[in-house]
Amino acid sequence: TFHRWMRVLCARLVASGVEPVAPAAMDERVRAGLRWLDQLPLDARFREPLLAERLGLSVIHLNRLFAREIKMSPAAYLERRRWERASYLLLN
């Protein structure tokens, strides 16, 4: 049933003018950086130069890759994780 539902959804999207696009593969360095950031405790101090060094990049190149792949810097990604956790704690 899922495949049937997916075909109907795709057909309706195409009929409404939305063209399907295959997702691009994420840069492995960004993926590794995200894994590292996700394991970082939320109260830990974050320094972009440390992450850039771990990934073998300059800070400028690190920020450029993150901006291209996830539309935010590593620091903004970590800040968003902190906000999401704080919101969760306030709601629960």
Side-chain angles (χ1 to χ4, degrees):
T1 42
F2 174 75
H3 293 293
R4 195 169 348 138
W5 175 84
M6 186 60 87
R7 276 188 298 233
V8 170
L9 174 65
C10 288
R12 291 205 176 147
L13 287 172
V14 169
S16 68
V18 176
E19 291 296 322
V21 177
M26 183 180 288
D27 188 292
E28 182 55 39
R29 296 167 294 187
V30 173
R31 191 174 303 132
L34 290 172
R35 280 192 304 266
W36 188 79
L37 287 170
D38 287 339
Q39 293 173 359
L40 194 66
L42 293 176
D43 61 344
R45 293 187 77 177
F46 172 66
R47 292 182 27 245
E48 283 183 344
L50 176 63
L51 178 58
E53 182 181 326
R54 291 179 65 90
L55 298 175
L57 302 168
S58 70
V59 173
I60 292 171
H61 195 194
L62 172 73
N63 282 313
R64 192 175 297 137
L65 281 175
F66 265 72
R68 184 184 74 208
E69 297 286 339
I70 65 167
K71 310 297 186 247
M72 66 180 71
S73 69
Y77 177 81
L78 186 58
E79 189 66 24
R80 188 183 77 187
R81 278 190 59 225
R82 289 174 176 153
W83 275 101
E84 288 172 354
R85 179 66 178 158
S87 296
Y88 172 81
L89 290 173
L90 286 171
L91 292 172
N92 296 301

